[in-house]
Amino acid sequence: MLWIALILAVLAFAALAFRGLGFLAWLVAAGVWLLGWRLAGVEHPHLFAASCAVLALLALVAGVPPLRRQLVSRWVLPVFARVLPRLGATERIALEAGTVWWDGDLFGGMPDWDKLLAFAPAPLSAEEQAFIDGPVDELCRRLDDWAVYQQRDLPPEIWQYIKEQRFLGMIIPKEHGGLGFSAIGHSRVVTRIATRSITAAVTIMVPNSLGPGELLLHYGSEEQKRRHLERLARGEEIPCFALTGPEAGSDAAATQSEGIVEKRIVDGVEVIGLRLNWKKRYITLAPVATLIGLAFRLKDPNRLIGEVEDRGITCALIPRATPGIEIGLRHDPMGVPFMNGPIVGRDVFVPLDEAVIGGRAQIGNGWRMLMESLAAGRSISLPALSIGAAQMCTRICGAYATVREQFDTPIGRFEGIEEPLARIAGLTWLMTAARTLTCGALDAGEKPAVPGNICKAYLTECMRQVVSDAMDIRAGSAIQRGPRNPLARAWDAVPIGITVEGANILTRTMMIYGQGAIRCHPFVQKEIDAVAQRDLAAFDRAIFGHLNLFCTRLVRAKLLAWTGSRLAAAPATHDTHRYFQHLSRFAAAFTILSDTAMGTLGGSLKRREKLSGRLADALAWLYLASATLKRYHDESKTRSNFALTRWATELALYRIQEALVGVLDNLPVRPVATLLRWTIFPLGARFRPPSDRLGGEVARDILEDREARRTLTADVFVPPADEPGLGALEAALDKAVRALPIETKLRDAVRAGRLDRAPGYMLDELGVEAGVISGEEYDLLNEARDARDEVIAVDAFDAARYKTLH
């Protein structure tokens, strides 16, 4: 009976803890054990009575918060005050920027998959689709990206068209003269243009991201909105935002740009204004900007506007023509000719009430403005650009690997080409899925800061991989610059996406996990706030909630590890059910490993950037896998879509596993790391990258399934057939596909001995002479071969022309 009671107690504890009911699990388990002990008639009644008394006391302490606070929490709070990181004002603002969304479910270790699948991202509106099919495609038709590179700027007529069609006002509401597009509409426009011209995409992207328009919308006074927004929407004002300086790159809050409050007589009137001095660099659109957004530290040494001298980071709008501004020089970012350059201000005077965004009420709130705006901007701009590059690579390589032949075989049939083709297709599917989910959250009213950082860092990294693979597949033709080779220009732009809006090293090691660990965790921020305020009741609720979280997720991770994730609740999807279960297992494992790292390292964890970077990897791939499964759930369940989903999800599971193993290998407290390894990976690290067989299936789909290739590259602008590059390649693919059955006839005739083996055109002629193919078929073959020769050709220039190239 006693053994039965023990087994029942363990089962009761495991069942309740697995569902997140930690306190109840302990209570029921102890009760079952004591009841079994009693029924078994075990002697030692005094020991039994003492055990009951201890259990009752523990239940009373743990279950009655006022008593628990006095007996436990009041002693624990000072310990936590020494261990928990102290947050400065700028850190707190950065951490509190945006909202917590699906990332909170992942951090909590028990993601509600039904909630995710029930979420319906808003589709493109009819107006947005019409804009893409109309002005966007027209802009793409007018663009000649090679000519843009040579001229080092967009042509004047392109600038004019962009302004007339209000491309620069996509985020500005209609009542202020803009287009009022959704996040997904904005993203899809930028993606389509990026497949045609990175320069044009960046030019349009920046005014619709962090900058004067975004800041005015959310924080500007009504007078400032009236004065500026319609002019920005119409392109009558070209905005830029000056944030980065020589002394303040990643640490933008350390800016030495300064504005001193002072009085001056202007046109006979006394004006309280700002005397501004700054040095900024890497500012996109600066050389042509007419309205400058500026982040600076405002100081009031003469106490003209209050009793505080240092008022903090503030944002202002300054017309280009204001005396003291040095502007117009250009940087050359990797040769990509979008407008980018430095701005210097020396003793620039502007009226305070007109210049400061939001007026005096927003003085000192600049850092909050920037962080909250970046939470949205990072979700859209660079991810859209990255997806454009990835989809273009998919489109080009799928066609090229079919058209290009070696050893009388399309190169896509070789396994060495299959491998990078599968990566290109699988990562493109995943990237587009993450964009759809994150923009859907933005359109639903969220400001998903951590998912936005994930999209910025990991989608640009995926772009780096995809473009690199595409360059490998195109081989020699990829490194010859010219109008035939759009890949080279994408390659030039890759480091820009990696670097700007928070370099990926910083974003990965500090922002994703650093912000997520506090902002997205169910209890950590509550604990920090309670300790800072010495609020014992709030601390008590947070610390015991955290304890329950850790204990229950520990049990959950252990049981899921031992059962191959089969106990995890998951949506009733017959084809992806197991993937949801595995992600549930890793979410629980991530939670306990994250809590252990924070608990054993305390505030020093933020300096252990290798560990925090691996934890960021695990969180990011959990999010990317969630987006992948969500996309498959929402879209057509075709065979090719399923293959892409399997490939992307299996890659994500492998990356999560490797990130968790990396943390376990490097946790400083080795006994704790060993215990956690037995909990999380009791049977070893068993997940593997996508198999060669699955990769081959994905690669064949983009080679043979034209509909699958079109779905995967839906945002790509396809130029006319007579244009070198993608346009000619698409036309050559069509001809190659029509010629394929005829080539098969000839090969069959060679194998049957009816024709002698011969190369290319000679075999065609032998086939006609032998009656294997008709004259009409012979003409189709010649058309296909001519088109193939055209698209595998590369550009060459005479000496005089070569000297003028950029």
Side-chain angles (χ1 to χ4, degrees):
M1 175 63 80
L2 199 57
W3 283 106
I4 294 174
L6 179 60
I7 293 170
L8 289 175
V10 170
L11 290 175
F13 174 78
L16 291 169
F18 186 79
R19 295 180 177 277
L21 303 172
F23 174 68
L24 187 60
W26 286 108
L27 196 61
V28 171
V32 169
W33 164 245
L34 289 174
L35 180 61
W37 190 359
R38 183 65 173 172
L39 294 176
V42 178
E43 296 183 1
H44 308 294
H46 297 297
L47 182 59
F48 177 76
S51 299
C52 290
V54 170
L55 175 61
L57 181 60
L58 289 174
L60 187 65
V61 171
V64 180
L67 186 61
R68 184 179 67 206
R69 286 198 292 269
Q70 295 304 315
L71 295 179
V72 180
S73 300
R74 64 182 299 221
W75 304 104
V76 177
L77 192 149
V79 177
F80 267 67
R82 291 192 296 271
V83 174
L84 286 176
R86 291 178 174 83
L87 301 180
T90 54
E91 285 181 301
R92 182 173 293 279
I93 289 170
L95 288 169
E96 292 175 353
T99 59
V100 178
W101 185 60
W102 180 246
D103 42 326
D105 273 60
L106 297 175
F107 243 100
M110 283 185 67
D112 183 347
W113 299 112
D114 289 330
K115 179 179 76 173
L116 178 69
L117 297 186
F119 172 68
L124 288 176
S125 69
E127 185 178 6
E128 290 167 341
Q129 186 64 62
F131 188 79
I132 291 172
D133 295 338
V136 174
D137 278 354
E138 179 59 27
L139 174 62
C140 290
R141 277 188 287 271
R142 296 184 184 193
L143 281 164
D144 179 345
D145 199 40
W146 175 250
V148 170
Y149 261 66
Q150 302 315 302
Q151 296 163 9
R152 312 308 296 153
D153 189 10
L154 297 171
E157 60 272 19
I158 294 295
W159 273 104
Q160 186 60 32
Y161 186 78
I162 287 171
K163 294 174 183 179
E164 288 174 353
Q165 299 299 322
R166 308 199 178 194
F167 278 92
L168 305 184
M170 284 191 290
I171 65 168
I172 296 175
K174 292 179 181 178
E175 58 266 29
H176 293 294
L179 297 175
F181 280 0
S182 64
I184 190 63
H186 172 189
S187 176
R188 292 283 297 274
V189 168
V190 172
T191 298
R192 174 68 60 90
I193 297 168
T195 68
R196 183 63 162 163
S197 169
I198 296 293
T199 300
V202 171
T203 300
I204 290 166
M205 175 184 85
V206 168
N208 290 289
S209 183
L210 174 65
E214 174 86 3
L215 295 173
L216 282 169
L217 277 174
H218 297 293
Y219 311 105
S221 68
E222 291 305 314
E223 169 60 22
Q224 289 171 332
K225 292 177 183 179
R226 184 195 61 76
R227 187 189 318 141
H228 294 298
L229 284 178
E230 190 162 346
R231 291 177 58 79
L232 288 168
R234 291 199 302 259
E236 295 172 9
E237 297 275 15
I238 302 296
C240 71
F241 194 81
L243 176 60
T244 302
E247 77 292 338
S250 300
D251 185 10
T255 181
Q256 293 178 18
S257 302
E258 189 174 74
I260 304 298
V261 180
E262 62 181 36
K263 289 181 181 179
R264 287 192 186 181
I265 303 299
V266 178
D267 296 329
V269 179
E270 185 178 78
V271 175
I272 293 181
L274 296 168
R275 177 169 52 83
L276 294 156
N277 286 276
W278 74 83
K279 290 181 180 180
K280 302 289 187 178
R281 62 183 183 180
Y282 313 149
I283 310 305
T284 299
L285 296 185
V288 295
T290 61
L291 185 64
I292 301 164
L294 180 70
F296 62 95
R297 184 170 293 279
L298 188 147
K299 294 183 179 179
D300 182 17
N302 297 316
R303 309 295 201 273
L304 296 178
I305 59 172
E307 294 303 315
V308 178
E309 177 178 348
D310 189 342
R311 302 296 292 268
I313 303 296
T314 301
C315 295
L317 295 180
I318 305 165
R320 178 193 183 103
T322 306
I325 296 176
E326 300 172 17
I327 190 170
L329 296 179
R330 291 183 67 175
H331 297 310
D332 185 17
M334 296 300 295
V336 184
F338 61 88
M339 289 291 170
N340 185 276
I343 310 177
V344 176
R346 303 184 194 278
D347 292 331
V348 177
F349 183 81
V350 292
L352 185 147
D353 293 320
E354 290 182 15
V356 173
I357 296 175
R360 298 192 186 194
Q362 294 294 351
I363 288 175
N365 289 334
W367 185 240
R368 183 178 300 279
M369 293 180 186
L370 297 174
M371 292 300 99
E372 290 178 351
S373 297
L374 280 170
R378 285 196 182 105
S379 303
I380 300 174
S381 301
L382 289 168
L385 209 68
S386 302
I387 292 164
Q391 289 195 14
M392 184 187 71
C393 290
T394 303
R395 192 94 180 195
I396 288 173
C397 291
Y400 187 80
T402 301
V403 171
R404 179 72 162 126
E405 292 186 351
Q406 292 286 273
F407 310 104
D408 294 327
T409 303
I411 63 170
R413 303 295 180 190
F414 295 99
E415 287 194 358
I417 299 296
E418 270 189 358
E419 187 175 12
L421 268 179
R423 277 198 301 268
I424 289 170
L427 289 175
T428 300
W429 172 265
L430 175 146
M431 293 164 71
T432 308
R435 184 264 299 275
T436 302
L437 181 62
T438 310
C439 285
L442 286 166
D443 288 330
E446 299 288 344
K447 288 188 176 180
V450 172
N453 290 333
I454 289 171
C455 285
K456 188 277 163 185
Y458 288 81
L459 267 58
T460 54
E461 290 294 342
C462 287
M463 171 183 65
R464 175 163 28 197
Q465 180 67 65
V466 167
V467 175
S468 177
D469 282 333
M471 294 286 287
D472 286 350
I473 290 172
R474 290 293 301 265
S477 64
I479 62 173
Q480 306 302 328
R481 296 176 65 240
R484 299 171 184 267
N485 183 16
L487 276 183
R489 299 190 288 280
W491 177 262
D492 291 340
V494 165
I496 301 170
I498 298 294
T499 302
V500 300
E501 288 193 9
N504 284 0
I505 290 176
L506 166 81
T507 304
R508 172 179 176 263
T509 58
M510 294 181 65
M511 297 177 68
I512 293 173
Y513 182 73
Q515 186 173 26
I518 296 175
R519 187 81 169 95
C520 303
H521 193 286
F523 299 105
V524 170
Q525 186 166 9
K526 295 175 183 176
E527 290 165 352
I528 292 175
D529 290 343
V531 168
Q533 297 164 14
R534 289 295 191 267
D535 186 334
L536 184 60
F539 176 77
D540 175 81
R541 289 190 298 271
I543 194 63
F544 275 89
H546 197 159
L547 183 61
N548 175 73
L549 178 82
F550 182 82
C551 292
T552 57
R553 299 315 182 261
L554 186 70
V555 171
R556 187 176 178 83
K558 185 72 171 178
L559 290 177
L560 292 177
W562 274 109
T563 61
S565 313
R566 287 178 175 81
L567 293 180
T573 54
H574 71 282
D575 44 6
T576 56
H577 182 80
R578 291 289 290 143
Y579 291 137
F580 284 111
Q581 289 185 317
H582 291 318
L583 290 174
S584 290
R585 170 192 170 184
F586 277 147
F590 170 76
T591 298
I592 62 170
L593 194 50
S594 172
D595 276 356
T596 301
M598 286 190 286
T600 56
L601 295 172
S604 69
L605 179 57
K606 65 180 180 181
R607 296 188 297 274
R608 300 292 188 104
E609 294 175 8
K610 296 174 187 177
L611 287 177
S612 65
R614 294 184 182 104
L615 288 165
D617 290 341
L619 178 62
W621 284 101
L622 278 166
Y623 182 79
L624 296 173
S626 301
T628 300
L629 294 174
K630 168 69 172 167
R631 181 181 183 184
Y632 180 68
H633 174 271
D634 290 350
E635 296 186 12
S636 299
K637 291 181 173 54
T638 62
R639 184 191 57 78
S640 60
N641 284 359
F642 184 48
L644 288 163
T645 298
R646 288 170 58 209
W647 191 96
T649 308
E650 289 178 18
L651 174 69
L653 288 168
Y654 176 72
R655 294 279 178 88
I656 297 164
Q657 171 187 271
E658 293 306 290
L660 297 178
V661 168
V663 176
L664 290 169
D665 286 344
N666 292 279
L667 269 180
V669 186
R670 298 312 303 156
V672 172
T674 300
L675 290 172
L676 281 180
R677 189 185 298 276
W678 291 342
T679 298
I680 298 171
F681 297 112
L683 304 177
R686 302 170 69 88
F687 288 90
R688 297 292 178 265
S691 67
D692 291 348
R693 182 176 180 179
L694 178 56
E697 184 179 342
V698 168
R700 285 190 296 275
D701 281 340
I702 64 169
L703 293 173
E704 300 171 1
D705 189 335
R706 303 294 295 279
E707 185 57 36
R709 182 167 163 267
R710 278 192 290 269
T711 299
L712 198 55
T713 60
D715 292 309
V716 173
F717 173 79
V718 180
D722 60 353
E723 181 179 308
L726 180 57
L729 185 56
E730 286 289 319
L733 176 63
D734 290 337
K735 293 175 181 178
V737 169
R738 288 197 297 270
L740 191 60
I742 308 169
E743 292 176 335
T744 301
K745 275 187 185 182
L746 292 173
R747 291 193 183 100
D748 289 344
V750 170
R751 281 194 291 267
R754 295 174 60 196
L755 293 176
D756 294 331
R757 187 177 298 276
Y761 291 97
M762 294 176 62
L763 183 62
D764 302 345
E765 292 171 357
L766 291 174
V768 172
E769 292 172 3
V772 174
I773 60 173
S774 67
E776 183 180 352
E777 290 174 320
Y778 176 79
D779 291 339
L780 283 174
L781 275 178
N782 274 328
E783 284 183 29
R785 295 192 192 282
D786 288 344
R788 180 180 292 121
D789 290 345
E790 171 62 25
V791 298
I792 66 174
V794 297
D795 294 290
F797 310 92
D798 62 40
R801 175 71 177 117
Y802 182 77
K803 288 180 181 179
T804 68
L805 296 181
H806 293 281

